[in-house]
Amino acid sequence: MRIGILSDIHGNLPALESVLKKIDELRLDRLHCLGDIVGYGSFPNECVELVRSRCTIVVKGNHDSGMTGETSIDDFNNLGQQAIKWTRKQILPEHFEFLKSLPMMATDGSVTYVHSSPAEPDQWTYIFSIRSAEEAFSAFTTDLCFIGHTHVPVIIGEDMSINAYTPPRDKSGNLQRRFLINVGSIGQPRDGNPEAAFGVLDTETLAYELVRVVYDVEKAAAAITKAGLPTALAKRLYQGV
Ligand code: ZN
C-alpha cells in the first residue's frame, strides 16, 4: 500500500488543494496527517473539513492544541498568537471538537506518527539537535517514525546520519537502520523552497520519497491579508521561510 503523509497544513487551502490533486494523480491508497491543520492561514474550517474527509490517521499539532486551549499559547511567537486568536473566532464547533479529540501519537504496523517528537509529545520539542533526535529514537520501537513541526524536511538515521530525500539501503534493498522522517510542511514550508511538501511511503518495501508541489502562493497570501491576519504571514509564503 502507498500512503501519503501530510503535515503542517496551517489553514493554507490553496496549498492543500494542490497537494490533494497531486495525490489523486499518484493514486495513493491512504492518507495520514501529522497535525497543525490550523494556525497562520486563513482557511481553518476548509482545511479541517478536507483532512477529516480524506485522512485515516490524524494526530494533534501544537497549533491545533493551542487553538483548543489545551496548550498555552504564551510560548508561541507573536505572529502565532495572533493567528491562534483569529482562528478561535472562525472555527466551527464541530471542527473545534474534532481537533480536541485527536490523539498525540499513533502507530500502524512498522510506522509511528507524531507531530513533534515521540519523546514526551505534549512538550512539542523541535528535533533540531542530536540530543533531541537521540531522545526521540529511544521513545519509539517501529522501523520508521514520521514527524513534522519544524516545517523542514529531513531524514535522520539512528546513527544520526542526515539524508535529504531517501533513506539509505544495503545491496539487497533493505533499510540499513531505523529512521525519523520529517515530511516538511504543506502550508508554510521553511526550508527556503515555497513549494508545498508531503511524503509518500510504500508500506511493504518502506520505500519513501518527498514530493514538492507548486501551488498558488498569491491566492493564499491575498486571503491572509484580506482576513486581517499579519501581513508577515503572507509574505513568508513567497520565500518558504
Ligand atoms: Zn507547524
Side-chain angles (χ1 to χ4, degrees), residues 2 10 18 33 47 53 71 86 108 121 132 144 147 162 181 216:
R2 285 161 75 231
H10 283 294
S18 296
C33 177
C47 290
S53 67
T71 290
W86 179 91
D108 186 25
S132 58
L144 303 178
I147 55 171
I162 302 287
I181 301 181
D216 193 341

Side-chain angles (χ1 to χ4, degrees), residues 33 85 95 136 154 169 190 194 199:
C33 177
K85 286 172 187 165
H95 294 333
V154 68
R169 287 165 182 274
R190 293 180 193 158

Side-chain angles (χ1 to χ4, degrees), residues 7-10 35-40 61-63 115 126 148-151 185 188 190:
S7 192
D8 296 276
I9 296 161
H10 283 294
D36 273 9
I37 306 167
V38 302
Y40 298 136
N62 56 316
H63 285 254
H115 181 69
Y126 290 90
H149 196 40
T150 65
H151 299 204
S185 168
Q188 196 195 77
R190 293 180 193 158

Side-chain angles (χ1 to χ4, degrees), residues 83-149:
I84 290 292
K85 286 172 187 165
W86 179 91
T87 305
R88 280 180 186 155
K89 290 186 197 147
Q90 311 294 323
I91 200 81
L92 293 172
E94 62 165 302
H95 294 333
F96 182 97
E97 290 305 323
F98 170 76
L99 293 173
K100 201 170 177 182
S101 74
L102 295 175
M104 295 297 297
M105 195 151 80
T107 302
D108 186 25
S110 55
V111 188
T112 298
Y113 301 91
V114 64
H115 181 69
S116 57
S117 170
E120 299 186 281
D122 58 349
Q123 296 303 304
W124 309 114
T125 303
Y126 290 90
I127 299 183
F128 271 139
S129 67
I130 287 178
R131 185 175 168 182
S132 58
E134 284 176 343
E135 284 171 357
F137 273 104
S138 65
F140 72 96
T141 54
T142 53
D143 291 326
L144 303 178
C145 176
F146 281 102
I147 55 171
H149 196 40

